[in-house]
Amino acid sequence: MRPTRRILTLIAVLAVVPVAGTARAADPVVVFAAASLKNALDDAAAGWTKETGTITRISYAGSNALAKQIEAGAPADLFISADQAWMDYAEKAGSLKPDTRVDLLRNALVLIASEPKEGGSDPEVALAPDLGSTLTRILNGGKLAMATIDAVPAGKYGKAALEKLGAWDAVKGQVAQAENVRAALLLVARGEAPLGIVYATDAAAEPGVHVVATFPSDSHPPIVYPAALIKDSRNPDAATLLAYLRGPAARASFERQGFRVVGKPGASR
């Protein structure tokens, strides 16, 4: 083959073969999310991946741990907290992308018990003035499973509810604190704690427990899940994912798990 023809052939091949590095799959969107979101968010994220072809990488933990990891520079694109306080923390630390914070979901707080053994019966719990003595009787020396009461949102909500109902002093010595709400849920599901305080959505996701009482909404601060993009994120798909999570397709995933979706789109701050 003459040199000229050889050069023309090489040019033709290069025209149809992409140069290495010019085409690659989109980077996954890295999401830091409260542990209680796992079932619903996994489902919603799978729907988004099916629709867009872009994958997510989701890290679940207590909102307090996630907010501090983000502050320390952990590579995340999107943060979803189980309360406003830890999103406030991230915002004050300068970790959030301005004007991206929105309220996404609402939840409820419940008292759970493990499924009774064969021949056993459910504990009877009335959220009455004598709640402290009722819980002490049912616990019978056992533990009340809660997420960490001074840091994890579910634990803070639970302590606030027990204080409001006059039961905290009676049970505070029997509280088994777990690193996040899903860990508290497992203590009850495994029978390691007779009772626990978790979100309604956690109880719905675990067949080994059942709800014995629902705390009044005015016994604790409103349970709201805010979401925001992280300031240092350079992934353009993160904003698309956040918009998807606020849309009708993701709504079905959240509502199936018992979350209430915050209605009107728009920034909460």
Side-chain angles (χ1 to χ4, degrees):
M1 184 182 294
R2 289 182 298 177
T4 301
R5 180 176 296 179
R6 191 178 300 116
I7 292 171
L8 291 174
T9 301
L10 178 60
I11 292 172
V13 170
L14 291 174
V16 297
V17 178
V19 178
T22 60
R24 61 175 178 78
D27 290 332
V29 177
V30 179
V31 183
F32 278 21
S36 53
L37 286 164
K38 180 166 175 49
N39 298 66
L41 189 56
D42 279 352
D43 189 46
W48 184 70
T49 296
K50 184 177 180 180
E51 182 176 303
T52 65
T54 304
I55 64 173
T56 59
R57 192 164 68 240
I58 308 176
S59 177
Y60 294 104
S63 300
N64 57 314
L66 296 173
K68 290 179 179 179
Q69 288 171 22
I70 291 169
E71 180 187 23
D77 299 305
L78 175 63
F79 176 37
I80 310 176
S81 171
D83 73 353
Q84 301 285 13
W86 284 110
M87 189 63 78
D88 289 344
Y89 179 96
E91 189 165 38
K92 290 174 182 176
S95 302
L96 306 185
K97 193 163 289 188
D99 302 320
T100 64
R101 178 174 174 173
V102 295
D103 289 341
L104 185 63
L105 302 166
R106 296 184 184 275
N107 212 334
L109 194 69
V110 297
L111 180 69
I112 58 170
S114 54
E115 287 297 324
K117 296 178 181 179
E118 187 174 351
S121 60
D122 293 337
E124 295 182 6
V125 180
L127 301 182
D130 63 345
L131 176 61
S133 59
T134 300
L135 293 178
T136 300
R137 173 179 54 80
I138 295 170
L139 291 171
N140 192 28
K143 296 294 185 180
L144 173 64
M146 297 175 65
T148 306
I149 59 173
D150 60 356
V152 179
K156 294 193 295 180
Y157 292 131
K159 181 183 177 183
L162 292 174
E163 287 178 331
K164 182 69 178 289
L165 297 170
W168 176 248
D169 286 342
V171 301
K172 63 184 180 182
Q174 294 174 264
V175 171
Q177 298 187 58
E179 65 180 355
N180 60 60
V181 70
R182 285 301 175 97
L185 178 71
L186 284 176
L187 288 176
V188 181
R190 294 171 178 167
E192 296 173 30
L195 298 173
I197 297 177
V198 299
Y199 299 122
T201 53
D202 297 309
E206 174 51 68
V209 306
H210 63 283
V211 175
V212 295
T214 299
F215 289 94
S217 59
D218 63 358
S219 67
H220 53 77
I223 302 174
V224 178
Y225 290 65
L229 300 180
I230 302 305
K231 181 185 68 175
D232 293 334
S233 170
R234 297 294 180 266
N235 191 329
D237 292 319
T240 307
L241 174 59
L242 179 55
Y244 177 89
L245 294 178
R246 303 178 68 205
R251 175 184 290 267
S253 295
F254 291 126
E255 290 182 343
R256 273 196 297 271
Q257 295 296 327
F259 287 98
R260 288 176 289 146
V261 178
V262 174
K264 184 179 179 181
S268 65
R269 292 291 186 277

